[in-house]
Amino acid sequence: MIDILWQTLDGTVYTMGTVFLMLFITGIMNEMGLFQRFSYLASPLVSLSRLPAAAASTFVVGLGSALAANAMTARLRHDGQLSDRQAFLSALMNSVPVYFRELFTYQLAFVVPVLGLYVGGAYAVVSLSTGLIKLLIVIILGRAYLAGEVISSLEPSPIAKEKSIIDAGRKSLSGQKKLFLRIASLYFIMTFLVLYLSEAGILQSLNVAPLASIFRIPAETVIPLTIYVASPKAGIVLLGPLIQNGGISELKALMVLMLGSMFMLPVFTIRSTLPNYTSIFGVRLGVSLTAVSAGISIMVRLLVLLLLLFAT
């Protein structure tokens, strides 16, 4: 129990350091009216999704860190610059840049060399398609539900523009105290619960063998499939030689990857996404974001798996 508490504290201090910094920077930018000044940079996303320029700015920040982008979104929501609907769609949109970043840092750098051009390339396309589908959903929902909420969010505040950076910094610190304490406490609690469940073996209790037989996955791939659920990189490394020596067809390998992803995503969501979203956005909005984001990712892989089954 003590070890879990120390792990929780260590993870909370590291993550909340980033959150505190981004809340502070966002507060300064909001107080000085910088979101409105840079609105032209985000005009394509603003016009398509009907999200305010501030939300589109967090999308750009998401290219570097989704956590930082969501912290900025939470601060904008707390300051009344984003409604709950806008914050929900903005947070969902913040998860999109990671798919484009991982295309170069993970898919092309690791997956394709290990699995080969056909299997690795198809796997990369599925991952990238998930991000594009999320972005499309944000645009569709934004155009359907945000028409009456954008105008007030885009109106600049002349008072804010006259503030010095020192005054803006003081106002930012003053305004983020309650928000940061709520985020930090929720993150600590959720992280502790997840680590406790993991230590108890509850998150590792999944048995993929029965489901693998339903989808006609070869018996020799059950071990790589099981390892993939715990560690995608390790599972891919084990699967690579099976493809190269003809132990498994490329089509079956793709089925293993899709099925493994469907098992891995819920575990990853509970361990990482759920504590982040609920701590930053609160339990109600955080759980909704977690369910929708993970649901989209799982559905994409399920559809691909079904298509592969029909092709065999």
Side-chain angles (χ1 to χ4, degrees), residues 2 12 37 60-61 82 91 101 124 147 150 161 202 207 303:
I2 299 298
T12 300
R37 295 180 185 180
V60 177
V61 174
L82 294 177
R101 185 172 70 245
V150 179
K161 290 184 178 181
I202 295 176
N207 183 7
L303 289 174

Side-chain angles (χ1 to χ4, degrees), residues 161-230:
K161 290 184 178 181
E162 295 174 359
K163 291 181 179 178
S164 69
I165 190 170
I166 296 178
D167 291 336
R170 289 173 179 169
K171 188 70 179 295
S172 176
L173 281 175
S174 175
Q176 79 177 49
K177 290 178 182 177
K178 291 183 179 179
L179 176 62
F180 176 75
L181 288 175
R182 178 182 65 80
I183 291 175
S185 59
L186 277 173
Y187 186 86
F188 182 88
I189 293 170
M190 293 300 299
T191 302
F192 176 81
L193 288 175
V194 169
L195 288 175
Y196 179 80
L197 292 173
S198 180
E199 185 74 16
I202 295 176
L203 298 182
Q204 288 80 21
S205 62
L206 293 174
N207 183 7
V208 301
L211 195 56
S213 63
I214 293 175
F215 287 100
R216 304 194 300 271
I217 301 296
E220 62 269 21
T221 63
V222 171
I223 293 179
L225 176 61
T226 304
I227 293 176
Y228 180 95
V229 175

Side-chain angles (χ1 to χ4, degrees), residues 126-137:
V126 171
S127 177
L128 187 61
S129 298
T130 304
L132 293 175
I133 289 173
K134 285 185 178 181
L135 186 58
L136 180 61
I137 289 175

